[in-house]
Amino acid sequence: MAATSLTAPPSFSGLRRISPKLDAAVSSHQSFFHRVNSSTRLVSSSSSSHRSPRGVVAMAGSGKFFVGGNWKCNGTKDSIAKLVSDLNSATLEADVDVVVSPPFVYIDQVKSSLTDRIDISGQNSWVGKGGAFTGEISVEQLKDLGCKWVILGHSERRHVIGEKDEFIGKKAAYALSEGLGVIACIGEKLEEREAGKTFDVCFAQLKAFADAVPSWENIVVAYEPVWAIGTGKVASPQQAQEVHVAVRGWLKKNVSEEVASKTRIIYGGSVNGGNSAELAKEEDIDGFLVGGASLKGPEFATIVNSVTSKKVAA
């Protein structure tokens, strides 16, 4: 793909949704990323971002809400057995794709005891075929354990481990080529948001995926503002929606209209059972990537079932 200018626009010009009826709503948010209040939350200029949601049946390629639980580096055999038991007994809405991502050492335990209603994801994978790469896990090994997805580009991999955009893009390309779905994470740090660089950062991360992947058919994009991950701070529904609109607009402009329409864009960042229903009502929030709350079976089930809010709003 040809190189794309990543200069942050002063408005949403060029980032509009596919439907012409949304143009007025988008244009009302000009200079959105230049207004930051004392709590680091971006202030919307109006309530026009509350557009009528697309509805579950019109969402993404599969027509399903998507909720992933990233268990990160948490758990013991006993605590995970209890979590799996809670998930197995939970009542989950049928029209949601549900995925959990255990620590690597517990994937086999989870796969052998968790209901088939919930798929398994790896939290990371190597950039190519396995071999002499100490501490890594290969796509082939994840598939051998029954994983169908892998999380790539999570902020903790980017900013703690030091993975670069291009490297993450190559990892995504290899995972897709071997048949794993990719949960492709993007998101800005607090200082980047305060400097008005949210678009710059997210678009650069998207471009690294776009430059590398052969297809977007099996990719879910997860927007996770770094300042909201594990902090208890969460973007308001309107703030999350506005970034999701911009991401979908970037896909339309730089990949294709079809990809923009079909790709599920999910939100992550202190999502919990108390805020998921309101977030789910937003048109371009197609699900969630959940951290700490995914370690609590009943609460995770509540988040999964927040799809009913989108149905009501539709």
Side-chain angles (χ1 to χ4, degrees), residues 67-222:
V67 178
N70 182 7
W71 297 357
K72 305 190 179 184
C73 190
N74 292 296
T76 64
K77 288 191 293 184
D78 288 345
S79 69
I80 284 177
K82 173 63 166 60
L83 177 53
V84 168
S85 175
D86 288 343
L87 292 174
N88 285 343
S89 62
T91 300
L92 304 178
E93 288 289 315
D95 49 0
V96 183
D97 285 334
V98 186
V99 177
V100 295
S101 187
F104 294 131
V105 294
Y106 299 123
I107 288 176
D108 196 43
Q109 175 189 348
V110 173
K111 179 61 179 175
S112 64
S113 56
L114 183 66
T115 172
D116 290 340
R117 168 71 181 83
I118 301 175
D119 287 332
I120 310 295
S121 170
Q123 295 182 16
N124 182 44
S125 62
W126 181 236
V127 71
K129 190 173 182 179
F133 305 107
T134 302
E136 289 293 339
I137 186 166
S138 72
V139 169
E140 291 82 2
Q141 289 169 328
L142 291 176
K143 290 174 60 182
D144 188 43
L145 290 173
C147 292
K148 294 185 178 180
W149 294 87
V150 63
I151 299 171
L152 295 174
H154 193 280
S155 65
E156 289 148 8
R157 300 296 305 181
R158 294 179 185 273
H159 303 304
V160 179
I161 307 301
E163 292 185 359
K164 303 300 183 185
D165 293 351
E166 293 76 15
F167 182 65
I168 294 165
K170 290 177 181 178
K171 294 205 298 184
Y174 186 75
L176 291 167
S177 73
E178 294 298 311
L180 273 189
V182 171
I183 302 170
C185 299
I186 62 172
E188 81 285 3
K189 295 186 289 186
L190 177 59
E191 58 267 30
E192 293 165 338
R193 167 167 282 223
E194 290 179 330
K197 295 181 178 179
T198 294
F199 281 1
D200 279 11
V201 172
C202 291
F203 293 171
Q205 293 167 353
L206 280 171
K207 184 177 184 300
F209 285 114
D211 285 347
V213 300
S215 167
W216 287 78
E217 185 176 351
N218 209 17
I219 297 177
V220 170
V221 175

Side-chain angles (χ1 to χ4, degrees), residues 294-314:
S294 70
L295 299 172
K296 305 170 185 177
E299 184 169 12
F300 185 64
T302 296
I303 296 169
V304 170
N305 293 337
S306 68
V307 68
T308 57
S309 296
K310 187 172 287 290
K311 292 177 182 178
V312 170

